[in-house]
Amino acid sequence: MSPLRIIPTGDGSHSLLNEELQETYHSVHGAIRESAHVFIDHGLKHFVNQFPEKKDVRILEIGFGTGLNVLLTLQQSRTISFTIRMESWEKFPLPPGIIAGLNHGDQLDQAEAWKQIHEAPWGFETNLSSTFSIFKRKGDVVSDTITGVFDVIYYDAFAPSKQPELWSREVLSKVIAQLNPGGVWVSYCARGQVKRDLASIGLKVETLPGPPGKKEMTRAIRAV
Ligand SMILES: C[S@@+](CC[C@H](N)C(=O)[O-])C[C@H]1O[C@@H](n2cnc3c(N)ncnc32)[C@H](O)[C@@H]1O
């Protein structure tokens, strides 16, 4: 039997509970609210405000999951004047039956875009609009090689208490090696050890107010 169960969250949007791990894919206080706050507002928008002259922004996501962050990023790309190329890694793509039960596309009034994201093949870059492309990469961030350079990294792995291997200094360092100077690493996680590791890798670490239900989150910037 699948360990995955669709659950409602505080803003009406769905998330998933992995019953084996006893871990949710998003905050139970609001999946859309959390993703928009952490990854869009404090990640993508922050980078764009710092580098308004940039024409092309490359985003790396660790943990495609439901595709909610991809949908929010695609939605955001319609309001800005540059091109976004996003690559999202996932070790365990969700079964279509689970995706079909999620309400993110309807909640955001983006049902067509939601469908396109999930129909996009794994392993290829797919243009979803003239200013947004997605490369869904099936792979293991811990053991596989990551190539390419990125301006923004959405670090959306499960919590360090559930998947410590994704938060080791070694793996963080490997992922951050792909970040451009001036680039932004952003996560909902505010654990002290993670912040110390990010600082020891050479990033400037900021602790920011978290989304509803979470006191803090982390943003880290690579020096120009
Ligand atoms: C918190 S969820 C991501 C939520 C997602 N960003 C969204 O918008 O729904 C963490 C994701 O990381 C994936 N994952 C776990 N281990 C991984 C690994 N070693 N490499 C890549 N992805 C992994 C999980 O399967 C899960 O989908």
Side-chain angles (χ1 to χ4, degrees), residues 16 26 61 64-72 74 88 90 93-105 110-122 126 128 132 134 136:
L16 291 174
H26 310 95
E61 175 174 48
F64 174 82
T66 65
L68 173 58
N69 288 340
V70 177
L71 180 62
L72 289 168
L74 168 58
S88 184
E90 177 56 59
L94 292 168
I98 293 279
I99 302 277
L102 294 168
N103 68 0
H104 299 144
Q110 298 285 327
E112 187 52 33
W114 178 249
K115 189 164 158 271
Q116 286 173 354
I117 289 167
H118 289 292
E119 284 176 356
W122 291 88
T126 305
L128 296 186
F132 182 89
I134 179 68
K136 299 194 302 191

Short mmCIF file of all heavy atoms in Angstrom, two decimals, residues 16 26 61 64-72 74 88 90 93-105 110-122 126 128 132 134 136:
data_model
loop_
_atom_site.label_atom_id
_atom_site.label_comp_id
_atom_site.label_asym_id
_atom_site.label_seq_id
_atom_site.Cartn_x
_atom_site.Cartn_y
_atom_site.Cartn_z
N LEU A 16 0.96 16.44 0.83
CA LEU A 16 1.01 14.99 0.97
C LEU A 16 1.67 14.64 2.28
O LEU A 16 2.64 15.31 2.69
CB LEU A 16 1.85 14.38 -0.16
CG LEU A 16 1.27 14.45 -1.56
CD1 LEU A 16 2.29 13.93 -2.56
CD2 LEU A 16 -0.01 13.61 -1.64
N HIS A 26 4.78 19.78 2.54
CA HIS A 26 4.69 21.24 2.74
C HIS A 26 4.25 21.49 4.17
O HIS A 26 3.88 20.56 4.90
CB HIS A 26 3.65 21.87 1.79
CG HIS A 26 3.80 21.46 0.36
ND1 HIS A 26 3.10 20.41 -0.19
CD2 HIS A 26 4.57 21.96 -0.63
CE1 HIS A 26 3.44 20.27 -1.47
NE2 HIS A 26 4.34 21.20 -1.77
N GLU A 61 15.93 23.28 -8.50
CA GLU A 61 15.13 22.87 -7.34
C GLU A 61 15.55 21.48 -6.89
O GLU A 61 15.67 20.57 -7.71
CB GLU A 61 13.63 22.85 -7.67
CG GLU A 61 12.82 22.31 -6.49
CD GLU A 61 11.32 22.38 -6.67
OE1 GLU A 61 10.82 21.95 -7.74
OE2 GLU A 61 10.63 22.83 -5.75
N PHE A 64 11.34 17.95 -6.61
CA PHE A 64 10.19 18.36 -7.44
C PHE A 64 8.88 18.09 -6.72
O PHE A 64 7.94 18.90 -6.78
CB PHE A 64 10.24 17.59 -8.78
CG PHE A 64 9.05 17.82 -9.67
CD1 PHE A 64 8.97 18.93 -10.49
CD2 PHE A 64 7.99 16.90 -9.70
CE1 PHE A 64 7.87 19.14 -11.33
CE2 PHE A 64 6.89 17.09 -10.52
CZ PHE A 64 6.83 18.21 -11.34
N GLY A 65 8.79 16.94 -6.05
CA GLY A 65 7.59 16.60 -5.26
C GLY A 65 6.31 16.70 -6.07
O GLY A 65 6.15 16.03 -7.10
N THR A 66 5.40 17.55 -5.62
CA THR A 66 4.11 17.72 -6.29
C THR A 66 4.20 18.63 -7.51
O THR A 66 3.24 18.75 -8.27
CB THR A 66 3.08 18.35 -5.34
OG1 THR A 66 3.52 19.68 -5.02
CG2 THR A 66 2.92 17.54 -4.06
N GLY A 67 5.31 19.37 -7.63
CA GLY A 67 5.42 20.36 -8.73
C GLY A 67 4.86 21.72 -8.35
O GLY A 67 4.79 22.62 -9.19
N LEU A 68 4.49 21.89 -7.09
CA LEU A 68 3.91 23.18 -6.69
C LEU A 68 4.88 24.34 -6.89
O LEU A 68 4.50 25.40 -7.39
CB LEU A 68 3.45 23.12 -5.22
CG LEU A 68 2.96 24.44 -4.61
CD1 LEU A 68 1.80 25.03 -5.41
CD2 LEU A 68 2.56 24.24 -3.14
N ASN A 69 6.15 24.15 -6.52
CA ASN A 69 7.11 25.26 -6.70
C ASN A 69 7.31 25.60 -8.17
O ASN A 69 7.53 26.75 -8.53
CB ASN A 69 8.47 24.92 -6.07
CG ASN A 69 8.41 24.92 -4.56
OD1 ASN A 69 7.50 25.51 -3.97
ND2 ASN A 69 9.36 24.25 -3.93
N VAL A 70 7.23 24.59 -9.01
CA VAL A 70 7.37 24.83 -10.45
C VAL A 70 6.17 25.64 -10.93
O VAL A 70 6.32 26.63 -11.67
CB VAL A 70 7.49 23.49 -11.22
CG1 VAL A 70 7.54 23.76 -12.73
CG2 VAL A 70 8.72 22.71 -10.78
N LEU A 71 4.99 25.27 -10.48
CA LEU A 71 3.78 26.01 -10.91
C LEU A 71 3.85 27.47 -10.46
O LEU A 71 3.56 28.39 -11.24
CB LEU A 71 2.53 25.34 -10.34
CG LEU A 71 1.20 26.01 -10.72
CD1 LEU A 71 0.98 25.99 -12.23
CD2 LEU A 71 0.02 25.34 -10.01
N LEU A 72 4.24 27.70 -9.22
CA LEU A 72 4.33 29.08 -8.71
C LEU A 72 5.39 29.88 -9.48
O LEU A 72 5.23 31.08 -9.73
CB LEU A 72 4.64 29.09 -7.21
CG LEU A 72 3.50 28.63 -6.31
CD1 LEU A 72 4.00 28.39 -4.89
CD2 LEU A 72 2.36 29.64 -6.29
N LEU A 74 6.37 29.29 -12.64
CA LEU A 74 5.81 29.55 -13.98
C LEU A 74 4.83 30.72 -13.91
O LEU A 74 4.85 31.62 -14.76
CB LEU A 74 5.12 28.28 -14.49
CG LEU A 74 4.23 28.40 -15.73
CD1 LEU A 74 5.01 28.95 -16.92
CD2 LEU A 74 3.65 27.04 -16.11
N SER A 88 14.43 20.74 -12.05
CA SER A 88 13.95 20.25 -10.77
C SER A 88 14.26 18.76 -10.64
O SER A 88 13.88 17.96 -11.49
CB SER A 88 12.45 20.51 -10.65
OG SER A 88 12.00 20.11 -9.37
N GLU A 90 14.22 15.01 -8.76
CA GLU A 90 13.33 14.18 -7.94
C GLU A 90 13.79 12.73 -8.00
O GLU A 90 13.98 12.18 -9.08
CB GLU A 90 11.88 14.30 -8.43
CG GLU A 90 10.88 13.43 -7.69
CD GLU A 90 10.87 13.68 -6.18
OE1 GLU A 90 10.62 14.81 -5.76
OE2 GLU A 90 11.14 12.71 -5.43
N PRO A 93 9.55 10.17 -8.30
CA PRO A 93 8.39 10.85 -8.90
C PRO A 93 7.07 10.26 -8.38
O PRO A 93 6.96 9.04 -8.18
CB PRO A 93 8.57 10.61 -10.40
CG PRO A 93 10.03 10.40 -10.57
CD PRO A 93 10.49 9.69 -9.32
N LEU A 94 6.10 11.12 -8.17
CA LEU A 94 4.82 10.67 -7.61
C LEU A 94 4.00 9.92 -8.65
O LEU A 94 4.03 10.26 -9.84
CB LEU A 94 4.02 11.89 -7.13
CG LEU A 94 4.61 12.62 -5.93
CD1 LEU A 94 3.90 13.97 -5.73
CD2 LEU A 94 4.47 11.75 -4.66
N PRO A 95 3.21 8.94 -8.21
CA PRO A 95 2.34 8.24 -9.15
C PRO A 95 1.27 9.19 -9.69
O PRO A 95 0.78 10.06 -8.95
CB PRO A 95 1.69 7.14 -8.30
CG PRO A 95 2.26 7.24 -6.93
CD PRO A 95 3.11 8.46 -6.83
N PRO A 96 0.89 9.03 -10.99
CA PRO A 96 -0.11 9.91 -11.59
C PRO A 96 -1.41 9.96 -10.78
O PRO A 96 -2.06 11.01 -10.71
CB PRO A 96 -0.36 9.31 -12.98
CG PRO A 96 0.87 8.49 -13.26
CD PRO A 96 1.43 8.05 -11.95
N GLY A 97 -1.78 8.86 -10.15
CA GLY A 97 -3.02 8.82 -9.37
C GLY A 97 -2.99 9.82 -8.21
O GLY A 97 -4.03 10.41 -7.86
N ILE A 98 -1.84 10.02 -7.63
CA ILE A 98 -1.70 10.99 -6.52
C ILE A 98 -1.77 12.41 -7.09
O ILE A 98 -2.50 13.27 -6.58
CB ILE A 98 -0.37 10.78 -5.77
CG1 ILE A 98 -0.36 9.45 -5.02
CG2 ILE A 98 -0.08 11.94 -4.82
CD1 ILE A 98 -1.08 9.45 -3.69
N ILE A 99 -1.02 12.65 -8.16
CA ILE A 99 -1.01 14.00 -8.77
C ILE A 99 -2.43 14.41 -9.13
O ILE A 99 -2.84 15.56 -8.89
CB ILE A 99 -0.15 14.00 -10.07
CG1 ILE A 99 1.28 13.55 -9.79
CG2 ILE A 99 -0.22 15.34 -10.79
CD1 ILE A 99 2.23 14.57 -9.29
N ALA A 100 -3.18 13.46 -9.69
CA ALA A 100 -4.54 13.78 -10.15
C ALA A 100 -5.45 14.21 -9.00
O ALA A 100 -6.43 14.94 -9.21
CB ALA A 100 -5.14 12.55 -10.85
N GLY A 101 -5.13 13.80 -7.78
CA GLY A 101 -5.97 14.15 -6.64
C GLY A 101 -5.61 15.49 -5.99
O GLY A 101 -6.32 15.96 -5.10
N LEU A 102 -4.50 16.11 -6.42
CA LEU A 102 -4.04 17.36 -5.79
C LEU A 102 -4.75 18.58 -6.37
O LEU A 102 -5.00 18.63 -7.58
CB LEU A 102 -2.52 17.51 -5.97
CG LEU A 102 -1.65 16.47 -5.26
CD1 LEU A 102 -0.21 16.54 -5.76
CD2 LEU A 102 -1.71 16.68 -3.75
N ASN A 103 -5.00 19.58 -5.52
CA ASN A 103 -5.81 20.72 -5.99
C ASN A 103 -5.00 21.99 -6.31
O ASN A 103 -5.57 23.06 -6.45
CB ASN A 103 -6.90 21.05 -4.96
CG ASN A 103 -6.33 21.62 -3.65
OD1 ASN A 103 -5.13 21.76 -3.51
ND2 ASN A 103 -7.22 21.93 -2.72
N HIS A 104 -3.67 21.88 -6.45
CA HIS A 104 -2.87 23.09 -6.61
C HIS A 104 -3.22 23.88 -7.86
O HIS A 104 -3.29 25.11 -7.83
CB HIS A 104 -1.37 22.74 -6.61
CG HIS A 104 -0.94 22.10 -5.33
ND1 HIS A 104 0.00 21.10 -5.27
CD2 HIS A 104 -1.34 22.30 -4.05
CE1 HIS A 104 0.17 20.73 -4.00
NE2 HIS A 104 -0.65 21.43 -3.26
N GLY A 105 -3.44 23.18 -8.97
CA GLY A 105 -3.80 23.87 -10.22
C GLY A 105 -5.10 24.64 -10.07
O GLY A 105 -5.21 25.81 -10.48
N GLN A 110 -4.81 27.75 -12.23
CA GLN A 110 -3.74 27.45 -13.20
C GLN A 110 -3.85 25.98 -13.63
O GLN A 110 -2.84 25.28 -13.70
CB GLN A 110 -2.36 27.66 -12.55
CG GLN A 110 -2.05 29.06 -12.09
CD GLN A 110 -1.74 29.95 -13.26
OE1 GLN A 110 -1.19 29.52 -14.26
NE2 GLN A 110 -2.13 31.21 -13.16
N ALA A 111 -5.09 25.55 -13.87
CA ALA A 111 -5.29 24.12 -14.13
C ALA A 111 -4.53 23.66 -15.38
O ALA A 111 -3.96 22.56 -15.40
CB ALA A 111 -6.78 23.82 -14.26
N GLU A 112 -4.53 24.49 -16.41
CA GLU A 112 -3.88 24.10 -17.67
C GLU A 112 -2.35 24.01 -17.48
O GLU A 112 -1.71 23.05 -17.91
CB GLU A 112 -4.24 25.12 -18.77
CG GLU A 112 -3.76 24.76 -20.16
CD GLU A 112 -4.15 23.35 -20.63
OE1 GLU A 112 -5.24 22.86 -20.24
OE2 GLU A 112 -3.34 22.73 -21.36
N ALA A 113 -1.80 25.02 -16.78
CA ALA A 113 -0.35 25.02 -16.53
C ALA A 113 0.05 23.81 -15.67
O ALA A 113 1.07 23.16 -15.91
CB ALA A 113 0.06 26.32 -15.85
N TRP A 114 -0.77 23.51 -14.70
CA TRP A 114 -0.53 22.34 -13.81
C TRP A 114 -0.46 21.06 -14.63
O TRP A 114 0.44 20.24 -14.46
CB TRP A 114 -1.67 22.29 -12.81
CG TRP A 114 -1.66 21.17 -11.82
CD1 TRP A 114 -2.54 20.12 -11.78
CD2 TRP A 114 -0.77 20.98 -10.70
NE1 TRP A 114 -2.25 19.30 -10.71
CE2 TRP A 114 -1.18 19.81 -10.04
CE3 TRP A 114 0.32 21.70 -10.21
CZ2 TRP A 114 -0.53 19.33 -8.90
CZ3 TRP A 114 0.96 21.21 -9.07
CH2 TRP A 114 0.54 20.05 -8.43
N LYS A 115 -1.41 20.93 -15.57
CA LYS A 115 -1.46 19.74 -16.44
C LYS A 115 -0.17 19.68 -17.29
O LYS A 115 0.46 18.65 -17.42
CB LYS A 115 -2.71 19.86 -17.32
CG LYS A 115 -3.05 18.67 -18.13
CD LYS A 115 -4.51 18.80 -18.62
CE LYS A 115 -4.74 17.95 -19.83
NZ LYS A 115 -4.46 18.60 -21.12
N GLN A 116 0.21 20.83 -17.86
CA GLN A 116 1.40 20.86 -18.72
C GLN A 116 2.66 20.48 -17.95
O GLN A 116 3.52 19.77 -18.47
CB GLN A 116 1.59 22.26 -19.30
CG GLN A 116 0.59 22.61 -20.39
CD GLN A 116 0.73 24.08 -20.82
OE1 GLN A 116 1.49 24.83 -20.24
NE2 GLN A 116 -0.01 24.45 -21.84
N ILE A 117 2.76 20.96 -16.72
CA ILE A 117 3.94 20.63 -15.91
C ILE A 117 4.02 19.12 -15.71
O ILE A 117 5.07 18.50 -15.84
CB ILE A 117 3.89 21.36 -14.55
CG1 ILE A 117 4.15 22.85 -14.75
CG2 ILE A 117 4.88 20.76 -13.55
CD1 ILE A 117 3.81 23.72 -13.55
N HIS A 118 2.88 18.50 -15.42
CA HIS A 118 2.91 17.07 -15.13
C HIS A 118 2.97 16.22 -16.39
O HIS A 118 3.42 15.07 -16.33
CB HIS A 118 1.75 16.70 -14.20
CG HIS A 118 2.01 17.23 -12.82
ND1 HIS A 118 3.03 16.73 -12.04
CD2 HIS A 118 1.47 18.26 -12.13
CE1 HIS A 118 3.08 17.41 -10.90
NE2 HIS A 118 2.14 18.35 -10.94
N GLU A 119 2.60 16.80 -17.51
CA GLU A 119 2.73 16.05 -18.77
C GLU A 119 4.14 16.19 -19.35
O GLU A 119 4.52 15.42 -20.22
CB GLU A 119 1.70 16.55 -19.79
CG GLU A 119 0.31 16.01 -19.47
CD GLU A 119 -0.78 16.56 -20.39
OE1 GLU A 119 -0.47 17.42 -21.25
OE2 GLU A 119 -1.93 16.14 -20.24
N ALA A 120 4.89 17.19 -18.90
CA ALA A 120 6.26 17.38 -19.42
C ALA A 120 7.07 16.13 -19.10
O ALA A 120 7.02 15.61 -17.99
CB ALA A 120 6.89 18.62 -18.78
N PRO A 121 7.83 15.63 -20.08
CA PRO A 121 8.57 14.38 -19.84
C PRO A 121 9.75 14.57 -18.89
O PRO A 121 10.29 15.67 -18.79
CB PRO A 121 9.08 14.02 -21.25
CG PRO A 121 9.13 15.32 -21.98
CD PRO A 121 8.05 16.19 -21.41
N TRP A 122 10.14 13.50 -18.24
CA TRP A 122 11.35 13.52 -17.41
C TRP A 122 12.55 13.39 -18.34
O TRP A 122 12.52 12.64 -19.31
CB TRP A 122 11.33 12.35 -16.41
CG TRP A 122 10.28 12.53 -15.36
CD1 TRP A 122 8.98 12.11 -15.44
CD2 TRP A 122 10.41 13.20 -14.10
NE1 TRP A 122 8.30 12.49 -14.30
CE2 TRP A 122 9.16 13.15 -13.45
CE3 TRP A 122 11.47 13.83 -13.44
CZ2 TRP A 122 8.94 13.71 -12.20
CZ3 TRP A 122 11.25 14.38 -12.18
CH2 TRP A 122 10.00 14.32 -11.57
N THR A 126 11.55 21.25 -21.48
CA THR A 126 10.28 21.50 -22.17
C THR A 126 9.90 22.96 -21.98
O THR A 126 9.86 23.45 -20.85
CB THR A 126 9.16 20.61 -21.56
OG1 THR A 126 9.57 19.26 -21.61
CG2 THR A 126 7.85 20.77 -22.32
N LEU A 128 7.32 25.67 -21.57
CA LEU A 128 5.89 25.74 -21.21
C LEU A 128 5.32 27.10 -21.60
O LEU A 128 4.10 27.29 -21.57
CB LEU A 128 5.69 25.47 -19.73
CG LEU A 128 6.08 24.05 -19.28
CD1 LEU A 128 5.71 23.83 -17.82
CD2 LEU A 128 5.43 22.98 -20.15
N PHE A 132 9.44 30.49 -20.14
CA PHE A 132 9.65 29.53 -19.04
C PHE A 132 9.85 28.12 -19.60
O PHE A 132 9.04 27.63 -20.37
CB PHE A 132 8.44 29.51 -18.10
CG PHE A 132 8.62 28.57 -16.92
CD1 PHE A 132 9.21 29.01 -15.75
CD2 PHE A 132 8.21 27.25 -17.00
CE1 PHE A 132 9.42 28.15 -14.68
CE2 PHE A 132 8.39 26.37 -15.92
CZ PHE A 132 9.00 26.84 -14.76
N ILE A 134 11.04 24.01 -18.27
CA ILE A 134 11.28 23.11 -17.13
C ILE A 134 12.01 21.86 -17.61
O ILE A 134 11.67 21.30 -18.64
CB ILE A 134 9.94 22.72 -16.42
CG1 ILE A 134 10.20 21.75 -15.24
CG2 ILE A 134 8.95 22.10 -17.40
CD1 ILE A 134 10.92 22.35 -14.10
N LYS A 136 12.61 18.40 -15.84
CA LYS A 136 12.36 17.53 -14.69
C LYS A 136 13.42 16.42 -14.74
O LYS A 136 13.42 15.63 -15.69
CB LYS A 136 10.96 16.94 -14.75
CG LYS A 136 9.86 18.00 -14.73
CD LYS A 136 8.46 17.44 -14.46
CE LYS A 136 7.99 16.42 -15.41
NZ LYS A 136 6.56 16.08 -15.29
#
